[in-house]
Every structure is written in structure tokens, then in C-alpha cells.
Amino acid sequence: MFLIIFITAIFAFFLHQLYWRRRNLPPGPIPWPLFGNLYEFSKHPPGYQAFLDCHKKYGPVFTFWMGSDPAVFITDHELLKEAFVRDGDTFNEKFIYENFNEPFRGGNFGVFDANGETWKTHRRFALHVFRDFGIGKDLMEQKILLETEEIIKSFAKATGDFSVQEDFDLAVGSIINQVLFGYSFRNEKEPEFRQLKSVLNELICYLGSTEAIFTLTVSKTLAKLLNPNYFKKMKKYREKLMSFYESQIEKHSEEIDFDLEENKDYVEAFLKEQKKREAAGDFESFSKIQLQNMCFDLWVAGSDTTTNTMSFMILYALHNPDMQKKLHEELDRVIGSRRQVSMSDKNDLPFLTAFINETQRLANLVPINFPRQIKKDVVLQGHWIPSGTTIVHQISAIFYDDKVFPDHQKFNPYRFLDNEGQLKKVDELIPFSIGKRQCLGEGLARMELFLFTANIFNHFEFLPGTEGLPSLVKDFSSVVRPKKYTCRVLKRDIP
Ligand code: HEM
């Protein structure tokens, strides 16, 4: 009798898992109970291959189980445009990882992992403050150029095998810190930055581990039962990182002059808005916990992405000396001196812009994009997808699709140039994602990438160090980064 019940239960479980839960979803690989298709994802780090294989086998809309829940992936640019741009409101709700938001954030706060009014209000407010600070304009350009000068000074002192990554980290961290808290991490503040960055690295690496992804994607009860350590770690990271933001907020609260119209930084702008709203009886929308989480989101999203892109760029220049030579030729022709290259030079440097574009494509920072949860039933390529389903706009598969970018592993900036050598618009290049939640810091990131690249390559040539060419293998930690490497940095012979 027991045996019959046992066999029936197993049969019912597999019927439910393999047939019932999958019956109306687009095709995709068979999921394991609890783990779904995470094995396929972790089999070939950093994970692109799993989605490229599915794209090839099942087409541009398929189901991939992230742990115990299914997610529908879209891997075609036209389909993404149709869904995320033309029907943007349906696709703008983030899938919320409660196992991250609760223990780390203290609830659904911030902008990255928030929805509804919180997301809308704070995305709009942050963009407004960024505009006031001149992101995309002169004011911000001057700040970035000052940090670029610091990188140049440090590179000029480089002898023998040299690691470029730390200088990019410090410059990019200092820029976002100025936007948020009004100061750079130069000189006596550098140890503060290095300490924060090391905690942040630990957190980001841990969140990219299979263990953490599994914990994020199962129910809280199961997670607590199977991986209680995860919650202890989140508490530790929260205490270390949030206490920095909290201390900055406290300092600003003590020093702020509410009568001054101009704002020194984002926190000051936030505190003034908070006061205004509280006077009108709204004590919730601009709360202290929301401010802490905004600082975390902007600090994290604004640092790792740009710095990793710059490290990949030097890596690709080392592996492609002919392309680095073309870059130097263009700079010599257009700039031809040690003067600072500014945003106004951009239109005259199409190869340099193509070089950045190709770096962003090949670096392909986000192997899995940040999932959405649809608010109503939709039809995607003939598949009816019910409201509440998780959707992933998988941009990494587009960048590595040979039909869109032939010979996709080759570093070839010419993909972005026409026959006259002018920059060509390639719609499929969407490293900042697509739709209403596309990167909030795109303007700042584009400015940083251009000013760093133009000025640094104008001054220096990068050559392999004594250990030869560094590895192109990527480390995965929520976004990808190159493995630590060193190279030789030579001053160029320019007037
Ligand atoms: C090379 C640099 C960067 C790249 C490649 C990049 C890429 C991305 C991507 C792919 C997303 C996800 C969009 C989605 O969910 O569909 C995103 C979101 C976001 N990024 Fe960036 N980013 C970069 C730099 C920055 C900077 C400098 C900041 C801040 C100042 C920033 C702030 C954000 C924020 C706050 C979001 C969430 C937006 C929302 O949910 O509404 N990013 N970024």
C-alpha cells in the first residue's frame, strides 16, 4: 500500500512538474525540481551559452526555469521593441526578489528593485537631479575630466607590469560619490573607498554565485531551511554598506541649509524634497530608508559597470594591436597634441566611438538581464503568456547572435562604421537595455566612457606585460568583469 502511494506521489509530482506547469508556456529545456534550469546556466560560466543554445533550439521566445519558477526569455531585438517599447507599461514592473529586498534593503525600497509609485517617483527625481548637475553638460564634463587627469597622472608613473583596474575603480567611484555626497575619494579618502569597494565586491560576487541565485529564486521558507547562512551574510553586508550611506545622510542633515536654492549633491536635493513633502503631510515617499537604498542603487550601478567596461576596453586593445593602432592614428589626425579631449570632439572621432561600442558589445556586461513580471496577459510570437509571468529581455543573446553581429567573438569596431568611415547606427546595440527602465545613468556612463577612452589612449599605448597576453575569460558576479590582469603602459610620443 505504502509503495503504491509513494509511486503515485512521485508520478503526480513529475506530471505536475514536467507537464502541468509547462503546458501553456513557450518551449524550453526540461526543468529540474527546485533548481529549474540553473544547471544549464552554471555549466558554461558566465552563462551566455545557455541562452544562445535555447535561442538556437527553440527560437527567440523560450521558457527557462530560474529555480522553481519559469521565466520567458526574449532574444530578438524586433520582438523586444514591440514589447518593451511599444507596450512599455506592461513590461516595466520588476520581478522582486523578496529574499534580497527584505534582508538587505529592509523592504521594497530604492529604484532598482522597486515598482509602482516608488519606482516612478524616484526614477523621475533622480533624473531631474542628474540634469540639474549638468549630466550630459559642461559641469559634469569638468568633474569627469578632473578624474581623467588623475588616471593619466597615475598611468604616467607606471613601470613594468601595471594593473589599470584600480585607477578606473577609484575615478569612477569618486565621480558617483561626488554626485551623491559631494566629495571625491582622492588622497586621504582613498582608504575609505578601498574598504567600501572591497565589501561591495564581496556582495556582488556572492550574489552571482549559484548558491545565492538558488536562494534568491526559492521561497523564503525553503531558503531559510536550506541556506540559513545566506541571511546572515546579507545582514553583514547590509550593516557594512548601509552604515556608510547612513553616516553621509546624518552629516548632510546636520549641515544642510534649507534656504539655499542650489543643491550641492543628490542627498541635499533629496532632503529638501523630503522637507517639502513632509510639510504637505507626506511622511512616506521620501523616507530615510528610501534615501539609503537610493544611495546604494546609484553607488553600485554607477561604479562597477563603467569600471568593468574600461578594464575590458584595455584588454581588447591588448589583444587587438591593429585596432589600437587605428585608434591612435585617428587621435593623432584629429587631436594631434596633448590637449584635453572634450565632448565637443566626439563627432570628429567616429572610430573611437565605434571602439567603445564594440567594447560594450563584446564585454556584454549582463549575461542575464534583470527580470520583469508582466501585469496583464500578453501574446508573444503566438504564445499566450498569463499575467504574473516573469519575462527576461535577454540582450546578451542579441550581442552574441551571429546573424546580427557575424563572427561575434571577434573584436571589430568596423561593425559600427559605414563605407565612408562614419558612425553607423546599429539598433541592436542596447548595452543600457531597452524600455522604460533602461539604465538611469546612461548619460553619465556615456560621458565617462568617451572622456576616459579618448584622453587615456591619446596619452598612452598599452602592451602585454611579462606574463604575455591576459586571459579573456570573464568572472561573473551579477555583471561580468575581466580577471585581474597587468600590462605595460607606455607614454606616447605626441607633441
Ligand atoms: C557602462 C555603464 C553602464 C551599463 C552598461 C549599464 C547597464 C544597465 C542595465 C543593462 C540596466 C538594466 C535595465 C533593465 O532593467 O532593463 C541598468 C539599470 C540601471 N542603471 Fe545602469 N549601466 C551603466 C552605468 C550606470 C551608471 C553610471 C548609473 C548611475 C549613475 C546607473 C544606474 C542605473 C540604475 C539606477 C538602473 C535601474 C533603472 C530602473 O530600474 O529604472 N547605471 N543599467
Side-chain angles (χ1 to χ4, degrees):
M1 184 63 179
F2 176 75
L3 192 66
I4 293 173
I5 294 172
F6 181 72
I7 291 172
T8 312
I10 295 272
F11 179 75
F13 177 78
F14 278 102
L15 185 74
H16 178 254
Q17 197 70 21
L18 298 180
Y19 170 70
W20 194 251
R21 290 192 73 193
R22 299 174 69 217
R23 70 196 186 287
N24 284 328
L25 291 166
I30 295 176
W32 286 91
L34 286 182
F35 293 93
N37 299 116
L38 288 180
Y39 172 67
E40 279 90 334
F41 173 71
S42 57
K43 202 165 54 172
H44 302 292
Y48 309 116
Q49 199 53 45
F51 307 120
L52 290 171
D53 289 346
C54 286
H55 173 91
K56 213 168 178 181
K57 192 162 176 192
Y58 306 106
V61 178
F62 55 83
T63 307
F64 195 90
W65 290 61
M66 304 289 293
S68 48
D69 287 312
V72 172
F73 279 65
I74 309 176
T75 52
D76 174 81
H77 179 252
E78 267 313 304
L79 280 175
L80 278 184
K81 230 164 70 182
E82 216 175 287
F84 279 66
V85 179
R86 293 187 197 120
D87 190 11
D89 284 338
T90 307
F91 291 85
N92 71 11
E93 197 103 331
K94 264 279 173 66
F95 174 87
I96 299 297
Y97 292 104
E98 294 297 341
N99 287 346
F100 178 72
N101 271 13
E102 256 193 65
F104 186 81
R105 293 185 179 280
N108 295 338
F109 297 107
V111 67
F112 210 95
D113 293 317
N115 282 325
E117 270 312 306
T118 306
W119 168 70
K120 210 184 273 175
T121 307
H122 286 279
R123 182 175 168 103
R124 203 183 299 134
F125 184 74
L127 283 170
H128 174 76
V129 175
F130 278 19
R131 251 193 312 273
D132 278 356
F133 287 157
I135 286 176
K137 294 190 223 136
D138 273 11
L139 196 65
M140 202 63 222
E141 179 171 6
Q142 290 315 315
K143 287 199 166 105
I144 300 172
L145 281 170
L146 281 177
E147 289 300 329
T148 314
E149 285 303 315
E150 294 293 335
I151 302 178
I152 291 172
K153 269 193 235 161
S154 170
F155 282 12
K157 289 188 221 142
T159 51
D161 290 348
F162 182 79
S163 166
V164 292
Q165 283 139 312
E166 281 80 13
D167 280 301
F168 290 132
D169 272 351
L170 183 58
V172 171
S174 291
I175 291 167
I176 193 64
N177 211 64
Q178 287 179 67
V179 174
L180 292 177
F181 307 123
Y183 70 93
S184 158
F185 285 117
R186 294 283 162 195
N187 306 320
E188 76 281 0
K189 294 281 183 192
E190 190 177 332
E192 181 185 37
F193 171 74
R194 297 287 175 209
Q195 203 188 354
L196 279 168
K197 185 77 187 170
S198 116
V199 180
L200 189 65
N201 276 346
E202 245 186 77
L203 169 67
I204 291 177
C205 284
Y206 182 60
L207 288 176
S209 69
T210 311
E211 175 196 315
I213 294 178
F214 169 72
T215 313
L216 286 168
T217 52
V218 294
S219 74
K220 199 167 153 199
T221 324
L222 258 182
K224 284 206 157 152
L225 208 69
L226 296 174
N227 192 7
N229 252 346
Y230 169 88
F231 292 91
K232 281 189 203 136
K233 281 188 180 163
M234 282 301 125
K235 192 163 172 268
K236 182 187 87 180
Y237 292 132
R238 178 185 159 75
E239 276 160 13
K240 286 192 174 169
L241 286 170
M242 289 300 189
S243 63
F244 168 66
Y245 306 125
E246 208 176 317
S247 69
Q248 288 303 320
I249 295 166
E250 288 302 316
K251 198 161 174 283
H252 277 69
S253 304
E254 284 161 18
E255 293 171 0
I256 192 168
D257 179 350
F258 283 105
D259 294 331
L260 270 186
E261 212 175 288
E262 226 171 67
N263 296 311
K264 196 167 79 202
D265 49 44
Y266 173 83
V267 172
E268 207 170 279
F270 190 105
L271 291 173
K272 285 184 188 167
E273 184 66 24
Q274 181 184 54
K275 192 172 180 212
K276 212 162 81 187
R277 291 194 179 224
E278 284 182 358
D282 169 9
F283 291 86
E284 272 185 18
S285 58
F286 275 67
S287 60
K288 188 170 152 199
I289 193 167
Q290 174 63 14
L291 178 52
Q292 278 175 8
N293 277 285
M294 283 305 296
C295 292
F296 171 76
D297 281 351
L298 296 171
W299 212 87
V300 176
S303 44
D304 237 33
T305 43
T306 314
T307 193
N308 292 353
T309 307
M310 286 310 301
S311 300
F312 275 116
M313 184 178 304
I314 306 292
L315 187 62
Y316 297 146
L318 291 169
H319 277 261
N320 299 276
D322 49 337
M323 294 299 143
Q324 186 174 183
K325 194 163 164 237
K326 295 268 174 219
L327 191 54
H328 285 141
E329 279 168 11
E330 185 180 72
L331 283 162
D332 290 346
R333 201 171 57 248
V334 177
I335 309 296
S337 72
R338 287 186 188 276
R339 78 159 169 90
Q340 243 176 13
V341 187
S342 68
M343 291 309 291
S344 60
D345 293 304
K346 191 164 184 230
N347 286 345
D348 300 324
L349 295 165
F351 186 81
L352 187 131
T353 309
F355 199 93
I356 298 172
N357 286 353
E358 180 64 345
T359 299
Q360 290 206 272
R361 182 197 70 77
L362 190 57
N364 211 348
L365 285 198
V366 191
I368 313 185
N369 209 346
F370 305 96
R372 301 284 193 269
Q373 192 158 41
I374 45 172
K375 290 189 265 183
K376 63 175 194 277
D377 302 346
V378 295
V379 175
L380 286 173
Q381 266 229 322
H383 301 285
W384 175 78
I385 322 268
S387 169
T389 304
T390 304
I391 306 279
V392 185
H393 41 323
Q394 193 51 19
I395 57 177
S396 80
I398 299 175
F399 299 167
Y400 284 1
D401 181 349
D402 272 325
K403 287 203 187 99
V404 184
F405 296 107
D407 202 1
H408 73 261
Q409 278 305 314
K410 191 172 159 52
F411 182 80
N412 177 14
Y414 287 100
R415 301 175 197 279
F416 299 101
L417 296 174
D418 65 18
N419 292 338
E420 270 79 51
Q422 290 308 307
L423 205 63
K424 192 166 76 178
K425 183 153 172 31
V426 176
D427 289 339
E428 289 86 352
L429 182 75
I430 43 171
F432 297 98
S433 198
I434 188 166
K436 296 200 167 189
R437 291 193 85 132
Q438 86 180 58
C439 179
L440 189 154
E442 179 173 349
L444 176 60
R446 284 193 187 279
M447 233 182 178
E448 289 174 330
L449 292 179
F450 176 78
L451 295 173
F452 287 166
T453 310
N455 285 292
I456 286 164
F457 278 94
N458 195 34
H459 279 77
F460 303 104
E461 182 182 358
F462 298 91
L463 295 168
T466 52
E467 294 189 355
L469 276 174
S471 165
L472 288 169
V473 174
K474 297 172 180 177
D475 278 338
F476 177 55
S477 49
S478 311
V479 296
V480 291
R481 56 178 64 181
K483 293 201 173 295
K484 279 202 172 307
Y485 65 87
T486 54
C487 60
R488 275 187 305 141
V489 182
L490 293 192
K491 274 189 230 157
R492 294 184 63 230
D493 201 11
I494 46 172

